[in-house]
Amino acid sequence: MPGGGQGPISVNRNVTVSAALGNESILDFKFKRSAVELCNTCAVRFENITVSNERRGPGPGVDLFLGRPGSRVDYDNANRFRAACPASNESGAVQTATPRSAFFPDPTGTSLWSIVNVTFRSSVYTNQLHLIDQSNDDPHKVQEGRGPVGGIAIRNRNTTRICRSTVDEQCLLERSSDACVNMLMDKMLAQDAAAAAGTAPRSNTAAIAAAAAVAGVVLLAALVATLLLVRRHRRSAAQQQLLPVAADGCKPLGPGSRGAQECESDTATDRLEHMARKQSRRNKALEAPEGKDEGWDLSWTLTTPLVPKDERDAPIELGELLGAGSFGRVFKGRWAGRDVAVKIISHDTASSDAVENEIALMVGFNHPNIVRAFHSVTYIKSRQHNNQQHSISPGLPATAADLDSFSTSGSSSHIRQGSSSSQQAQATPSGAPPALPAVSASPFAAAQEVLPAWPAANSAAAAAAADASCSDQQQHTAAAVAAVEARQSAWGEGVLSTQESSADAYGATCSSSAEAALQDGELQAAGRSASARACRVETWILQEYCDKGTLDSVVTSWEGKEEGDARMLQRLLLLKDVASGLQALHANNVVHGDLNARNVLVSSSSMAECGMVAKLADLGLSRAIKQHKTHRTTNTIGTMSHMPPEMLRYGRMSPAGDIYAFGISMWEMYTGTAAFKKLHYGQFFEYICLRNLRPLMPADAPKDYAILMESCWAADPANRPKAERVVECLRYMIVERQRNLAAAAAAAAEDTSAASAAMAPDTPATGGGMQPMFLKLPSLLRRAAADQASPKKTAAAAASSPAAPSTSSDAVNSTDDAARQLLQSETGSKPGASSPRASASQRLSIGSISSSRALPIPLSVDIYGAYSAQSKPTGLLRAFSAADKGSGREQGPGAAGATDKEVAGEVSGECVQQLKLLLPQNSVVDGVHWFV
Ligand SMILES: Nc1ncnc2c1ncn2[C@@H]1O[C@H](COP(=O)(O)OP(=O)(O)OP(=O)(O)O)[C@@H](O)[C@H]1O
């Protein structure tokens, strides 16, 4: 534990603290606060243990930890003290009203809990809150002096809280519940200490018995260790015969080593690649490819650890052609009982790094908003066959479309022209690799079951599996990223050559040494060898199938349909998915590099609020950024219209560049048109970099949407929000639409009470114990702007100053009317119509909260919508009580009876700013005013 004056301890990896089941082990955090800082996405897990901490105020008892984006604390099968548990009959309401964390499975699901009797240390405690499966986000930890950079997601499973109801009724009459729980805990800890002290002086007999027991255990352990060593030694010897020493930079190590077949260098990169090679060899040994006679050899395979071993070898059925990109074609397929998309890329060994990058990242990330790759296989054309002439369609890589040549029962007619997005998508038979084990080309119904949303919602087993594999998965992701990073440094950009250049090379002969290396699984090594660069390779990547196609096509399908809160909600939910995917990539120092709506796929999901979930795809241009670096310089290509100025100018690739592309994608998703479609390539530099132009938003666009979009495409990368901030802003924008829709639905049903409830804050109106109440002031600026200026006024003001720059830092150059017109003509926007801003005082009424508790109510207010530096509000936030209402006293700053909070300068550059007010006893909060 850090002492006085020291900073917190940094935890940079996942940690599990567990005790054997049945042991009443207690871990006492000693009430330290913020003593341990978790790294981004780091998880700390407590299993089978009682955690004792945080008894002096509200909160979920994890005060020990400071969170970072994506960090989490799991309590699994734990007993946990918590001072501020509400009384048992309120517990359920509080738990169910707390939104589930987005960082855990099934964020939309309801918490599972029950009130039970528990036996704890031989005492039966009635009416305890038992959390069967509950998760929530705790943002407070990071707001204490550090700004809201991300909090801790907490998961409780099979975890019991010792609550207020545990303590003596008499005590509650005399003291506060906190004080009573504190006393109880002190008593129990004192008992523990006494028991420990009492066991110290043991009798001789006991000491002898204990010593004998210890000796027995040591002997047993030694025996087991010896057996393990012998086994490992044998396996090592066997593997030494199999493996060429140092062929892969790894050598079989001696029995004293940590593993029989470990890499000398124990980097994550080595481990991942070594794992892949091991698997490749194993596969080769297991599966003699049917198509070997056809001249294709299996060279390299990689499977995500999430796929069980027996599924890995399942046959693949290829179905319709889904589409074609620059580098390959994508077929629908069925594998191991699931629908998959099979991407088949023909390339040469020179460009195998780029392909492997994409595979490593897609296999490495297991995130609901990143398209997963389950399995990939690379074949090489054997020398004998490379010497033969093959009919390669010019401009079209050879693919497995020619199933006749290796399928026992298939026919090329089974491969249909699907809903291809490209005219290049053909099913031209050509030289094809062998089938994967037992590939068949049997047709299957087009409407197959859709992959369940990850992870399977409401399935305890699935959740458990996901949890169990979580830390493995994080290591796997880190290893994949490290592999990509190492590949980039060692081998330049590894840009996948275009199909034309690849096709040129296909006729060349693979040298025998290169072929041997390739067959030994040394795809990369062979790729670096000049003699092997011309070897023809075909890679099959089995990805999760996204039945709704690209985000682009989903947005196009909205064309002509009514715009409103429901449509906006759908748009925001999909955008949040995309931003969450980026957040996961960036947290692992990976930049997508080619974000646009055509590189985002959409899957049906019954669990998602809008019925579908968006996932980042096409990681072919993704790059790993070295830690502590802000960007890397690249010569890779991407999508011109989505390239940020720094990319166009200096080739700088960074997470901020993805955010810029996200901003452009927001515009495209709102307008349904492609951005800058009237610009030709030569104009991009001039328009984006020199004139700092951006597409114009229609005048009627929601202001919060416009503000976020503009902050994303700011000229200076440093002014763009981070992905987690974008996610956070979108979350608030989503809540706002949800409320509007609920209120509208309630109003339509003439259910006025339901309508006011929908407009009321999230927290229950009846106090909710000592939990802070969150009053979200959604779209503050938007509403204020609406109050201040009618749409007419806004339009008139805009028309009177056609060259008025946007208030964002990357404002449109006001002198360039020609350029402006060009961009306006894309949407028909009126000049100056974008980015209206709130400018005057605002008054907001947000429903009422009442509490009969004879305690001060800690009240938290989220100010929302103020994330642009230019829209920084200053002023006074006021909560006033019902007594003041209508008396006129609440009207001005300093009015009697109101609780004021100065907020000048506190809100800047952020989406949400949380303020805490302590209301007087027995307050009835009837509104919050905001004075500017
Ligand atoms: N996992 C998938 N599920 C469903 N359809 C897919 C999947 N992957 C790709 N597709 C379809 O196949 C098309 C081609 O995908 P691919 O990734 O090869 O190329 P692209 O992204 O269009 O082009 P490029 O690689 O040149 O950027 C996509 O536009 C999409 O329609």
Side-chain angles (χ1 to χ4, degrees):
M1 289 291 147
Q6 286 179 9
I9 295 171
S10 293
V11 170
N12 293 318
R13 57 186 168 142
N14 299 337
V15 174
T16 299
V17 181
S18 62
L21 261 179
N23 275 6
E24 285 186 354
S25 307
I26 294 183
L27 183 67
D28 191 354
F29 289 167
K30 300 282 184 199
F31 315 124
K32 283 189 184 288
R33 298 176 82 92
S34 308
V36 178
E37 181 169 22
L38 303 181
C39 72
N40 288 5
T41 72
C42 275
V44 176
R45 186 180 177 84
F46 296 101
E47 294 169 332
N48 310 327
I49 201 162
T50 293
V51 176
S52 167
N53 193 42
E54 178 48 51
R55 51 183 187 163
R56 307 206 189 276
V62 291
D63 293 33
L64 186 77
F65 299 104
L66 268 173
R68 302 285 303 169
S71 54
R72 48 188 275 190
V73 173
D74 287 12
Y75 289 97
D76 201 349
N77 204 22
N79 279 301
R80 198 150 62 86
F81 286 113
R82 182 165 180 263
C85 267
S88 56
N89 57 350
E90 295 169 14
S91 301
V94 171
Q95 296 308 322
T96 44
T98 307
R100 280 175 73 82
S101 168
F103 295 98
F104 281 107
D106 182 20
T108 55
T110 313
S111 297
L112 299 178
W113 55 270
S114 60
I115 305 286
V116 294
N117 294 340
V118 291
T119 304
F120 181 63
R121 298 178 172 205
S122 313
S123 301
V124 178
Y125 298 107
T126 53
N127 295 333
Q128 295 306 310
L129 181 63
H130 187 74
L131 303 166
I132 298 159
D133 181 16
Q134 186 255 357
S135 72
N136 63 285
D137 287 317
D138 181 25
H140 306 288
K141 300 297 164 294
V142 291
Q143 290 181 343
E144 288 163 1
R146 306 187 69 248
V149 294
I152 303 176
I154 305 151
R155 168 80 176 273
N156 295 291
R157 203 166 48 185
N158 191 26
T159 287
T160 302
R161 286 180 173 179
I162 306 293
C163 299
R164 184 184 107 157
S165 51
T166 303
V167 302
D168 194 324
E169 283 300 322
Q170 187 58 37
C171 177
L172 284 175
L173 291 177
E174 296 161 10
R175 294 180 173 84
S176 71
S177 62
D178 275 8
C180 294
V181 177
N182 288 346
M183 282 175 62
L184 178 73
M185 288 176 67
D186 287 342
K187 200 169 127 193
M188 291 170 103
L189 291 170
Q191 277 170 0
D192 269 355
T199 51
R202 294 176 179 204
S203 70
N204 278 350
T205 325
I208 290 165
V214 169
V217 169
V218 168
L219 270 177
L220 195 65
L223 189 66
V224 170
T226 312
L227 283 173
L228 281 175
L229 275 177
V230 168
R231 221 175 117 197
R232 188 185 284 183
H233 181 69
R234 279 194 195 141
R235 203 187 305 153
S236 169
Q239 274 162 347
Q240 280 189 28
Q241 285 169 6
L242 263 177
L243 289 175
V245 173
D248 50 4
C250 308
K251 65 176 186 182
L253 303 176
S257 68
R258 281 169 296 143
Q261 201 189 322
E262 278 178 333
C263 295
E264 274 184 308
S265 144
D266 196 21
T267 63
T269 311
D270 291 339
R271 281 200 304 276
L272 183 84
E273 295 186 355
H274 183 60
M275 184 184 83
R277 280 191 287 272
K278 249 165 70 178
Q279 199 163 49
S280 167
R281 292 189 181 99
R282 207 184 306 135
N283 284 0
K284 279 164 73 174
L286 290 172
E287 311 147 3
E290 283 177 22
K292 194 152 182 146
D293 291 347
E294 301 292 331
W296 288 93
D297 293 331
L298 184 64
S299 166
W300 201 80
T301 74
L302 185 62
T303 309
T304 164
L306 290 182
V307 171
K309 194 172 168 301
D310 53 331
E311 288 185 15
R312 201 188 57 210
D313 304 332
I316 299 170
E317 291 176 43
L318 281 186
E320 65 185 302
L321 183 65
L322 294 170
S326 319
F327 305 114
R329 290 191 286 174
V330 182
F331 295 88
K332 192 174 177 189
R334 186 123 185 114
W335 175 71
R338 51 168 83 89
D339 283 345
V340 287
V342 187
K343 185 166 182 174
I344 302 174
I345 307 171
S346 284
H347 56 108
D348 54 47
T349 39
S351 52
S352 53
D353 280 299
V355 178
E356 286 179 39
N357 264 4
E358 181 169 4
I359 297 168
L361 290 175
M362 290 180 84
V363 167
F365 278 93
N366 175 29
H367 189 276
N369 303 117
I370 299 173
V371 171
R372 261 187 300 166
F374 301 112
H375 188 53
S376 87
V377 190
T378 297
Y379 296 100
I380 53 159
K381 189 85 177 144
S382 64
R383 193 153 64 103
Q384 180 194 355
H385 275 73
N386 255 318
N387 289 336
Q388 293 173 11
Q389 287 300 311
H390 289 280
S391 59
I392 309 293
S393 310
L396 183 71
T399 76
D402 183 12
L403 292 179
D404 310 69
S405 65
F406 57 89
S407 155
T408 47
S409 61
S411 130
S412 59
S413 65
H414 293 140
I415 299 186
R416 300 183 294 281
Q417 181 84 28
S419 54
S420 165
S421 60
S422 164
Q423 289 305 314
Q424 286 181 330
Q426 302 162 36
T428 313
S430 58
L436 280 166
V439 166
S440 71
S442 60
F444 61 96
Q448 296 283 354
E449 80 186 58
V450 174
L451 263 184
W454 181 93
N458 285 338
S459 154
D467 257 7
S469 60
C470 194
S471 61
D472 285 356
Q473 180 59 45
Q474 282 176 358
Q475 281 169 15
H476 189 66
T477 305
V481 173
V484 168
E485 196 179 301
R487 197 175 288 132
Q488 285 166 190
S489 340
W491 189 225
E493 287 301 325
V495 182
L496 182 58
S497 43
T498 60
Q499 55 204 21
E500 286 79 11
S501 60
S502 293
D504 288 345
Y506 288 157
T509 305
C510 229
S511 73
S512 53
S513 61
E515 187 188 326
L518 285 167
Q519 287 181 5
D520 221 15
E522 300 305 312
L523 185 60
Q524 269 189 59
R528 284 178 199 121
S529 137
S531 64
R533 283 187 157 221
C535 288
R536 190 174 153 202
V537 179
E538 188 158 297
T539 298
W540 294 35
I541 310 173
L542 272 57
Q543 306 171 357
E544 71 179 292
Y545 171 62
C546 300
D547 63 318
K548 296 264 180 202
T550 61
L551 183 58
D552 184 43
S553 56
V554 170
V555 172
T556 308
S557 73
W558 294 342
E559 225 166 86
K561 299 202 176 130
E562 197 193 335
E563 177 66 36
D565 270 328
R567 172 69 66 229
M568 185 45 98
L569 177 60
Q570 200 169 28
R571 187 180 286 121
L572 293 172
L573 287 164
L574 290 171
L575 279 168
K576 185 168 77 66
D577 288 345
V578 175
S580 302
L582 284 181
Q583 188 183 356
L585 288 182
H586 295 174
N588 286 282
N589 301 314
V590 172
V591 177
H592 186 284
D594 193 16
L595 178 69
N596 63 66
R598 289 162 292 284
N599 284 339
V600 175
L601 293 168
V602 182
S603 257
S604 295
S605 165
S606 56
M607 291 313 301
E609 186 173 345
C610 64
M612 47 188 155
V613 57
K615 291 158 185 275
L616 297 178
D618 235 333
L619 303 186
L621 293 183
S622 297
R623 296 287 177 269
I625 307 275
K626 281 193 169 43
Q627 256 182 350
H628 314 302
K629 291 249 164 128
T630 55
H631 67 270
R632 62 177 284 125
T633 308
T634 177
N635 55 7
T636 52
I637 42 161
T639 306
M640 204 76 159
S641 54
H642 290 61
M643 278 185 195
E646 70 274 13
M647 179 76 187
L648 290 166
R649 268 179 198 270
Y650 315 111
R652 267 188 205 151
M653 204 177 177
S654 68
D658 283 347
I659 299 297
Y660 176 94
F662 183 85
I664 300 286
S665 305
M666 280 184 78
W667 184 88
E668 291 187 328
M669 281 189 73
Y670 187 78
T671 60
T673 15
F676 303 121
K677 63 180 179 213
K678 302 230 164 113
L679 295 188
H680 61 73
Y681 281 124
Q683 289 176 304
F684 273 98
F685 183 79
E686 184 193 343
Y687 279 59
I688 307 302
C689 302
L690 302 181
R691 296 185 185 172
N692 204 13
L693 292 174
R694 302 288 183 274
L696 290 181
M697 214 41 183
D700 60 350
K703 303 305 170 286
D704 52 355
Y705 194 92
I707 292 171
L708 178 60
M709 182 186 74
E710 287 170 7
S711 63
C712 286
W713 69 33
D716 182 349
N719 287 342
R720 297 175 204 147
K722 301 264 182 292
E724 60 262 28
R725 173 70 56 220
V726 175
V727 172
E728 194 180 351
C729 290
L730 287 166
R731 240 183 229 147
Y732 279 85
M733 290 157 75
I734 286 166
V735 169
E736 154 94 355
R737 271 62 186 198
Q738 286 167 334
R739 284 188 185 146
N740 290 349
L741 286 168
E750 292 185 346
D751 181 351
T752 47
S753 61
S756 65
M759 292 303 292
D762 291 348
T763 35
T766 50
M770 289 291 286
Q771 295 278 3
M773 295 177 189
F774 289 91
L775 304 186
K776 293 190 176 119
L777 305 189
S779 291
L780 188 65
L781 298 177
R782 190 175 93 147
R783 286 188 187 185
D787 285 350
Q788 290 302 309
S790 68
K792 244 183 180 173
K793 262 193 206 162
T794 311
S800 68
S801 57
S806 153
T807 49
S808 70
S809 57
D810 47 334
V812 173
N813 183 334
S814 61
T815 58
D816 196 332
D817 285 347
R820 181 178 292 280
Q821 266 164 22
L822 180 78
L823 297 177
Q824 281 155 13
S825 66
E826 291 191 345
T827 59
S829 301
K830 297 271 180 303
S834 65
S835 316
R837 291 281 187 270
S839 59
S841 69
Q842 297 129 38
R843 178 180 164 141
L844 227 72
S845 202
I846 52 160
S848 69
I849 301 172
S850 60
S851 168
S852 57
R853 291 175 65 94
L855 288 169
I857 307 172
L859 171 71
S860 294
V861 183
D862 287 348
I863 306 297
Y864 155 83
Y867 34 69
S868 163
Q870 278 68 33
S871 66
K872 181 194 289 188
T874 57
L876 196 72
L877 183 81
R878 159 157 308 170
F880 57 93
S881 72
D884 295 322
K885 199 186 172 206
S887 67
R889 281 185 294 163
E890 85 279 16
Q891 290 298 326
T899 303
D900 296 345
K901 170 82 181 172
E902 288 289 345
V903 291
E906 285 191 31
V907 182
S908 62
E910 301 290 357
C911 176
V912 178
Q913 177 75 26
Q914 196 173 72
L915 305 168
K916 287 184 180 158
L917 304 174
L918 206 60
L919 298 183
Q921 290 187 4
N922 293 318
S923 287
V924 177
V925 183
D926 201 53
V928 173
H929 284 186
W930 168 268
F931 298 93
V932 176

